[in-house]
Amino acid sequence: MSTSPTTLIAVPDSLDTATPVAPADRRWQPQAAHWAALSIASLLLLWWALTASGLIAPLFLPPPQAVLAKFGELLNGGYMDATLPQHLLASLQRMLLALLAAVVVGIPLGIVIGVFPLARHLLDPVIEFYRPLPPLAYLPLIVIWFGIGEASKVLLIFLAILAPVLIATAHGVASVSQLRQQAALSLGASRWQLLRHVILPGALPEIITGVRIGLGAGWSTLVAAELIAATRGLGFMIQSAAQFLVTDVVVLGIIVIALVAFALELGLRRLQQRLTPWHGQHH
Amino acid sequence: MSLLQVDKLGVTYPGQLQPALHQVSLSLARDELLVALGPSGCGKSTLLGVLAGFIAPSQGRVLFAGQPVTAPGVERAVVFQHDALLPWLNVHDNVAFGLKLQGADALTRERIVADTLRLVGLADVAGKRTWQLSGGMRQRVGIARALASRSQVLLLDEPFGALDAFTREQMQQLLLRVWQQSQRGVFLITHDIEEALFLATELVLMSPGPGRIVQRLRPTFNQRYRAGEDVRAIKSDPEFIALRESLLHSLFRQGHEEAA
Ligand SMILES: Nc1ncnc2c1ncn2[C@@H]1O[C@H](COP(=O)(O)OP(=O)(O)O)[C@@H](O)[C@H]1O
Ligand SMILES: [Mg+2]
C-alpha cells in the first residue's frame, strides 16, 4: 500500500515504525526536592560570592566557611560557657516541654470548644485577645508573675504554641461532616462513641496541622523566652553574640534553629502522613 | 404490617415562613420498597431526616412499630449520597462499625460482616481503605454497613445520585437483590424518574412549596425484574416509557405552577 506511487501520506507505514511515546516517568523529571536543593545551593553560592568578593564585610555577614569553622569550634569549645550541643539541648528541652503542655491542654480544650458552642462563646474572646500580642509585650508580666526561672521561659513558648493547637482542634472538631455523624448515630453510637470514633479521628488531620503551625510559632518566641535570665539556649547564645557583634555565632545560631525546626516539621509531616493517610484524598 | 407510619407530617424550619413539609402521610411495610421522587428542594431529605430521627416534626407524627420516633435508632439505618463512611477504617471495619458500637460479640460480628460483604460483592476488597475505592464501591460499603447493623429499615438519601449512569444501573439491581434477600423495608429518595419507576413497589411524587405528596403509584417493574426480565428490556418497555413521560409531565406542570 505504501509502495503505491499515489500514496502521499504513508499512514500504515508510519504507524508500523512509529516509536511509542515514552511514558513520562521514564525520562528524568526534576522533583520538588531537586528544586529545593537548587534553591538552597543558589542561596549558599550567593552568600559565598557576596562575602568572597569583599562586597560585604565579615562583621555584617561572615563567609560560609567562617561559620562552618565556628561550628567546629563550638561543638567542643563552646560559647558563653556552654557548647553548641548544650545550647541546643537547653532550647530543645524548653520547646518540647512547651509543646507537650500545649498538646495536653490545647487538644482537650479545643475539643470542648468545638463541641459546645457555649464554651466557644466564652473562650473565643480570651484566645483572640492574647493571640495577636507579640510575646515581648507580655514578657514583663510573665516575669513579674512567675519569676525568672525555667517556668517562665516554657510558659512563653507554651502560649505561642497553644493558640494554633486550640484553634485548629476546635475547628477540626466542629467541621466533621454532619452526615457522617448522623450515620454513626443511626448505627447506634452514643455521644461518647461519636466523639471517640467519629469526631476525633475526623479532626485529627487538622489537629496535627495545628501542632505543626504551633511549633513554628513556638520557635519564633524562643529568643524572646531566652531573654529571661537564661544561661543556656540557642536564643541566649544568639543574643549574647549579638551584643559583642560576634556575627558568625549569630548566623550559626540562626542556621541551627532553622535546621532543627525543619527536621521537627518533617517529622510531623511524616507522622501526619502515617496517621491520616486519607487526608488530602478526596474522601 | 407497616413498620414505619407517617401521619400528616409537617416540618417548618426555624425562621422559615413556608413549611418544608406539609401534611405528608406514608406507610412502609417490611417487604416494601418505597421511593420518594421529586425535584431538589421538595423536602425529600427533610422527610428522611424525620424518619431517621434527626429532625423533629412540627406537626403530625412518625411511628416505628407503633412507637413514636424521637431520636436516631439502630432499627433505622441511613445511607447518604456522599458516603458518610470512616476513611480511617478499612472496608471490613466500616461494615463492622455498627455492630461494634452496639457491643455485638466478635463471633457474631465476623459472621454477619462476612455474609454482608459477600452479599454486596465486597469480599475481595475487605482490607482496602474506603478512599481507595470507586464511588460505586463506596456506596456498596455504605449499604453493607447499614445492612450489617441491626436495622429493620434502610433509609437511602439519593444513594446513587453521584454515580455514572452505568454504575447507577448496576447499583439499582444490587439494591433489589439486597432488598429481596435481607427482608428489610427500604425507603429511597431520588430525583431520577427511571430509578424511581424501576425500583419502587410504592412511589410517591413530591412537589415543593410547601413540600408535599402530589401523586402515588404502584409500579410493577420491580416485580418484573425479580421475575427474571432484563433491566434494559424493562426500561425500554413502552409501558415504562409512558409512565416515565407522564411523571415527567407532572413534574414540569408543577414547575410551571411554581413559576406562575
Ligand atoms: N436546616 C435547614 N434550615 C432551613 N431550611 C432548610 C434546612 N434544610 C432544608 N431546608 C429547606 O427546606 C426545603 C427542603 O429541603 P430538602 O429536604 O433538603 O429538599 P430535597 O432533599 O428534596 O432537595 C428547601 O427549601 C431547603 O432550602
Ligand atoms: Mg436532598
Side-chain angles (χ1 to χ4, degrees):
Chain A
M1 202 196 297
S2 59
T3 52
S4 152
T6 56
T7 306
L8 292 176
I9 306 167
V11 177
D13 257 355
S14 72
L15 273 184
D16 282 344
T17 58
T19 48
V21 179
D25 58 349
R26 282 273 199 78
R27 286 198 353 250
W28 187 83
Q29 291 256 325
Q31 307 282 310
H34 297 128
W35 293 114
L38 181 70
S39 158
I40 291 169
S42 317
L43 217 58
L44 282 174
L45 193 69
L46 183 70
W47 178 13
W48 173 82
L50 282 175
T51 49
S53 66
L55 271 176
I56 299 182
L59 175 66
F60 295 105
L61 184 65
Q65 59 274 24
V67 174
L68 197 63
K70 203 71 187 178
F71 174 68
E73 198 181 305
L74 290 199
L75 269 185
N76 304 311
Y79 184 79
M80 289 286 170
D81 298 328
T83 62
L84 184 62
Q86 287 170 326
H87 284 304
L88 174 61
L89 194 68
S91 291
L92 262 184
Q93 264 175 4
R94 286 173 194 134
M95 283 296 301
L96 294 182
L97 211 59
L99 177 68
L100 189 72
V103 162
V104 167
V105 174
I107 294 178
L109 203 56
I111 293 170
V112 171
I113 294 174
V115 171
F116 302 105
L118 179 63
R120 190 179 69 239
H121 301 324
L122 287 174
L123 290 174
D124 204 37
V126 183
I127 299 165
E128 290 307 321
F129 172 74
Y130 98 79
R131 192 167 69 98
L133 294 178
L136 279 173
Y138 51 83
L139 178 68
L141 278 183
I142 288 187
V143 171
I144 293 169
W145 291 343
F146 301 100
I148 57 170
E150 207 49 33
S152 292
K153 303 179 185 67
V154 174
L155 182 62
L156 202 73
I157 304 171
F158 162 79
L159 285 174
I161 305 179
L162 181 67
V165 172
L166 204 60
I167 292 169
T169 304
H171 186 261
V173 163
S175 51
V176 167
S177 148
Q178 205 62 37
L179 295 183
R180 190 179 279 168
Q181 297 188 43
Q182 290 183 339
L185 287 173
S186 78
L187 291 170
S190 64
R191 281 190 68 85
W192 168 248
Q193 286 175 322
L194 192 68
L195 185 66
R196 163 74 186 74
H197 296 292
V198 179
I199 296 177
L200 277 190
L204 192 58
E206 259 197 84
I207 294 176
I208 301 178
T209 302
V211 171
R212 282 169 53 190
I213 296 172
L215 208 54
W219 282 110
S220 67
T221 51
L222 182 70
V223 177
E226 293 180 349
L227 275 174
I228 312 173
T231 54
R232 269 183 196 181
L234 292 171
F236 161 75
M237 184 185 89
I238 291 174
Q239 288 165 52
S240 324
Q243 278 167 16
F244 300 106
L245 296 179
V246 190
T247 323
D248 45 7
V249 173
V250 173
V251 174
L252 179 63
I254 290 173
I255 292 176
V256 171
I257 289 180
L259 287 180
V260 173
F262 185 57
L264 282 180
E265 163 71 9
L266 278 188
L268 278 175
R269 276 191 212 171
R270 192 147 304 165
L271 185 75
Q272 190 167 33
Q273 188 55 41
R274 278 194 61 141
L275 287 181
T276 63
W278 67 90
H279 183 52
Q281 312 284 334
H282 54 259
H283 267 287
Chain B
M1 216 248 348
S2 92
L3 267 182
L4 265 176
Q5 179 80 36
V6 179
D7 288 327
K8 301 202 173 76
L9 174 68
V11 171
T12 307
Y13 283 107
Q16 302 292 98
L17 289 177
Q18 193 167 56
L21 288 176
H22 178 68
Q23 294 272 321
V24 170
S25 296
L26 286 173
S27 80
L28 174 67
R30 189 176 300 278
D31 55 354
E32 269 177 334
L33 204 164
L34 172 63
V35 175
L37 170 70
S40 64
C42 72
K44 303 184 298 293
S45 294
T46 303
L47 176 55
L48 185 131
V50 177
L51 298 185
F54 306 140
I55 300 172
S58 316
Q59 279 104 40
R61 56 179 194 165
V62 175
L63 302 176
F64 179 85
Q67 297 300 311
V69 166
T70 54
V74 291
E75 66 284 350
R76 289 160 284 127
V78 295
V79 178
F80 292 112
Q81 171 177 21
H82 285 291
D83 51 354
L85 302 174
L86 308 176
W88 47 90
L89 300 180
N90 64 23
V91 169
H92 172 282
D93 293 351
N94 263 284
V95 174
F97 186 59
L99 289 167
K100 233 176 184 161
L101 293 175
Q102 297 158 26
D105 68 280
L107 225 62
T108 316
R109 199 169 69 214
E110 288 312 310
R111 184 177 49 74
I112 295 176
V113 171
D115 287 351
T116 313
L117 286 174
R118 214 170 308 118
L119 178 63
V120 299
L122 286 175
D124 291 342
V125 295
K128 286 216 164 148
R129 297 292 187 97
T130 58
W131 43 269
Q132 296 170 320
L133 303 178
S134 67
M137 295 282 246
R138 282 206 293 269
Q139 288 311 83
R140 287 181 201 219
V141 180
I143 292 172
R145 182 173 78 162
L147 282 172
S149 166
R150 291 193 315 240
S151 56
Q152 297 181 48
V153 178
L154 302 191
L155 308 171
L156 302 97
D157 192 341
E158 310 214 14
F160 314 138
L163 305 179
D164 62 87
F166 178 74
T167 309
R168 193 181 314 154
E169 191 151 275
Q170 284 186 324
M171 292 296 290
Q172 290 164 2
Q173 297 173 72
L174 177 121
L175 180 69
L176 286 188
R177 206 174 69 228
V178 162
W179 167 68
Q180 200 176 1
Q181 291 190 17
S182 71
Q183 307 274 313
R184 325 252 169 140
V186 169
F187 174 72
L188 180 140
I189 283 174
T190 183
H191 57 239
D192 180 332
I193 300 179
E194 288 202 2
E195 179 166 286
L197 277 175
F198 178 63
L199 292 178
T201 58
E202 285 263 0
L203 197 165
V204 295
L205 182 65
M206 294 181 64
S207 175
R212 64 203 186 278
I213 294 172
V214 291
Q215 198 175 333
R216 296 170 193 262
L217 47 161
R218 289 179 159 275
T220 54
F221 307 105
N222 169 324
Q223 272 164 295
R224 284 169 54 180
Y225 176 78
R226 281 184 291 139
E229 208 173 323
D230 175 66
V231 53
R232 290 311 327 162
I234 293 172
K235 288 188 178 178
S236 54
D237 186 310
E239 192 191 335
F240 187 93
I241 293 170
L243 258 177
R244 187 187 74 197
E245 293 307 308
S246 122
L247 280 174
L248 199 57
H249 186 73
S250 315
L251 280 171
F252 271 123
R253 203 178 51 222
Q254 275 143 28
H256 283 300
E257 281 169 11
E258 270 308 286

